[in-house]
Amino acid sequence: MPPSRPLPHVVVIGAGIVGAATAFYLARAGARVTVLEADSPSAGATGASDGAVSVASKRPGTMMRLAREARDLYAQLVSEGVLTDLFHTRPTYLFARSAAEVALIDSQGRDLASQGELILPLSRHDLLQRIPGLGASVLAGLKVPLDGHAIGYQVVNRLLSCASVVPRHHTPVHRLVVLNGRVTGVESSAGLIPADVVVVAAGFESSALLGLDEVLIPRKGQLIITDRATAGFAAFPGPLMSAGYLAAKRATSPGQNSVNLVIDPLRTGQFLIGSSREAGLTDRQTDIRTVSAILREALDVYPALARQRVIRTFAGIRATTRDGLPIVGRHPTLDGLIIATGMQGDGICLGPLIGAAVARLACDREPAQDLSALSPRRFQGATACGALS
Ligand SMILES: Cc1cc2nc3c(=O)[nH]c(=O)nc-3n(C[C@H](O)[C@H](O)[C@H](O)COP(=O)(O)OP(=O)(O)OC[C@H]3O[C@@H](n4cnc5c(N)ncnc54)[C@H](O)[C@@H]3O)c2cc1C
């Protein structure tokens, strides 16, 4: 037997769901891991999102395949006792309000079925039986029974505690240290920290560390939380997801700013209602115009919401890319550097799977999944993309 290679010391930048999952799998493999977080865990998109672990809405191809694998991994982490009580299976209900939208969800249904996903087309009558009180504009739907839900910050806390990894809070990384074509560490507010491998999992802020301004596009999303419609159980079995949301996800290039409705019945009895897609905005403010637009849509689809009170609004920033795919893999020209960003509106779903893959890359192994479509190489040579050239 050849002697086994010593495991590296890995510095992970960012304690969102991707950084936390990477740290979890690295620690599990026996590697030494240091997580540096500019603020506190889940301070970025992970703490300001919905928790759909959803295949229903994914673009056919790489994203649909990875989402199915990611959802399986959630179930596996539950069976291993890691994510006990934090992930549960529930259906997604795609719905249509025009003939064009009916055609779109039909087409998504065919794509899902061709991947082996269980689907159930629903007439308006069928939908009403499952979700009484639907608005008159809803014409038809599609049930995807085996989707799931997990709350991002809860997953982060559990993964870090199971791995006994304590991130260094309030420790922003200012720059990567490069010597002879190799990243040898990071310069942080706590000084220089050497590393064998550095993983950049800083969400949208990865852009500043890697020079990805032309590749990573921030896309703000505003969300609304209501008070409880029911006491301690979801008002209906799973989220109502609009065909507009589906269209935004299926697009292969960033579209116009829009409101794409999802009404998510939480297990607390509250509703989480979202969201907007606002390109170029990095502030976390909510505004009356956008919140009103989301609520108008929501009342059209589910008029019973008029009984609820809004108790909170908040916003998060999705890191999106020009081609709508995450950026995950070894840096094309710098040794010792791995990129894991651009999770779009899918990082809660994909986070554990991407973390598992990145941990393997950091230990000089190949990921269990085919991630070639996510390779940073596809942006090599993009102007103003200094670090990828
Ligand atoms: C409104 C909205 C709804 C969403 N709904 C869903 C959903 O239903 N399902 C789904 O799958 N996904 C959803 N998402 C997407 C999901 O939230 C993200 O894709 C995911 O959280 C990204 O995780 P991350 O770890 O890559 O980044 P982040 O969670 O942004 O984490 C990055 C971390 O890095 C830290 N950081 C940044 N710069 C530095 C630095 N220089 N040094 C050290 N640390 C740094 C930040 O403080 C942050 O904690 C939604 C997003 C939004 C905004």
Side-chain angles (χ1 to χ4, degrees):
M1 288 263 288
S4 54
R5 271 174 298 191
L7 289 166
H9 170 220
V10 184
V11 165
V12 177
I13 306 174
I17 196 162
V18 173
T22 302
F24 169 81
Y25 282 103
L26 281 167
R28 209 186 218 195
R32 198 177 134 219
V33 53
T34 303
V35 180
L36 304 175
E37 165 54 51
D39 191 314
S40 50
S42 304
T46 301
S49 63
D50 194 0
V53 179
S54 172
V55 174
S57 59
K58 295 297 180 285
R59 192 207 294 183
T62 303
M63 290 301 270
M64 201 180 270
R65 172 178 59 80
L66 289 178
R68 279 170 60 82
E69 292 177 332
R71 203 182 51 188
D72 288 348
L73 182 57
Y74 264 99
Q76 186 185 320
L77 287 166
V78 170
S79 69
E80 289 171 4
V82 177
L83 293 184
T84 313
D85 298 332
L86 297 193
F87 169 76
H88 66 278
T89 299
R90 62 171 198 183
T92 295
Y93 298 96
L94 289 162
F95 66 86
R97 287 181 285 174
S98 68
E101 290 188 356
V102 171
L104 180 64
I105 62 174
D106 279 353
S107 162
Q108 181 76 354
R110 283 193 297 277
D111 289 329
L112 287 163
S114 74
Q115 294 291 307
E117 185 71 19
L118 193 60
I119 57 156
L120 186 64
L122 299 174
S123 65
R124 172 175 168 78
H125 174 75
D126 298 331
L127 261 177
L128 270 170
Q129 285 191 322
R130 289 160 176 85
I131 308 174
L134 269 187
S137 62
V138 176
L139 301 178
L142 180 79
K143 178 179 175 181
V144 182
L146 298 181
D147 265 354
H149 186 255
I151 295 176
Y153 75 87
Q154 294 181 346
V155 174
V156 165
N157 291 346
R158 183 69 64 79
L159 290 173
L160 291 172
S161 67
C162 278
S164 303
V165 172
V166 181
R168 293 175 73 160
H169 293 209
H170 303 292
T171 310
V173 169
H174 302 312
R175 65 175 194 93
L176 309 175
V177 179
V178 182
L179 195 66
N180 300 328
R182 179 171 193 91
V183 173
T184 56
V186 299
E187 201 177 282
S188 75
S189 62
L192 187 70
I193 301 179
D196 300 313
V197 178
V198 172
V199 174
V200 180
F204 168 65
E205 277 136 328
S206 305
S207 178
L209 290 167
L210 296 167
L212 295 179
D213 3 351
E214 287 198 0
V215 173
L216 271 188
I217 305 151
R219 209 167 287 271
K220 178 165 119 175
Q222 301 189 36
L223 290 162
I224 298 148
I225 302 241
T226 72
D227 62 354
R228 292 170 190 232
T230 47
F233 60 93
F236 44 83
L240 277 165
M241 203 174 260
S242 63
Y245 179 87
L246 177 60
K249 292 278 205 178
R250 279 175 71 104
T252 48
S253 59
Q256 303 291 316
N257 289 355
S258 54
V259 165
N260 304 124
L261 184 70
V262 177
I263 303 176
D264 196 337
L266 302 180
R267 291 172 113 190
T268 54
Q270 298 164 287
F271 294 98
L272 192 153
I273 307 169
S275 72
S276 55
R277 300 175 77 76
E278 302 167 73
L281 297 186
T282 54
D283 67 274
R284 306 271 212 94
Q285 306 300 312
T286 57
D287 64 89
I288 290 175
R289 189 188 294 270
T290 307
V291 167
S292 311
I294 297 170
L295 288 177
R296 260 196 310 277
E297 286 273 296
L299 283 170
D300 178 63
V301 170
Y302 189 60
L305 278 174
R307 290 197 291 265
Q308 304 311 132
R309 291 185 194 160
V310 168
I311 60 167
R312 192 158 83 90
T313 62
F314 60 96
I317 312 300
R318 307 173 185 93
T320 64
T321 57
R322 288 195 317 223
D323 61 5
L325 292 175
I327 308 176
V328 182
R330 296 186 179 97
H331 190 278
T333 57
L334 293 175
D335 289 337
L337 178 59
I338 297 170
I339 305 174
T341 183
M343 297 299 140
Q344 331 278 320
D346 304 305
I348 304 304
C349 175
L350 298 181
L353 178 120
I354 297 296
V358 168
R360 287 182 70 89
L361 286 171
C363 296
D364 215 12
R365 297 178 190 140
E366 288 313 304
Q369 301 77 21
D370 175 8
L371 297 184
S372 49
L374 313 187
S375 169
R377 280 184 194 285
R378 72 192 194 277
F379 293 120
Q380 205 173 350
T383 47
C385 208
L388 290 190
S389 313

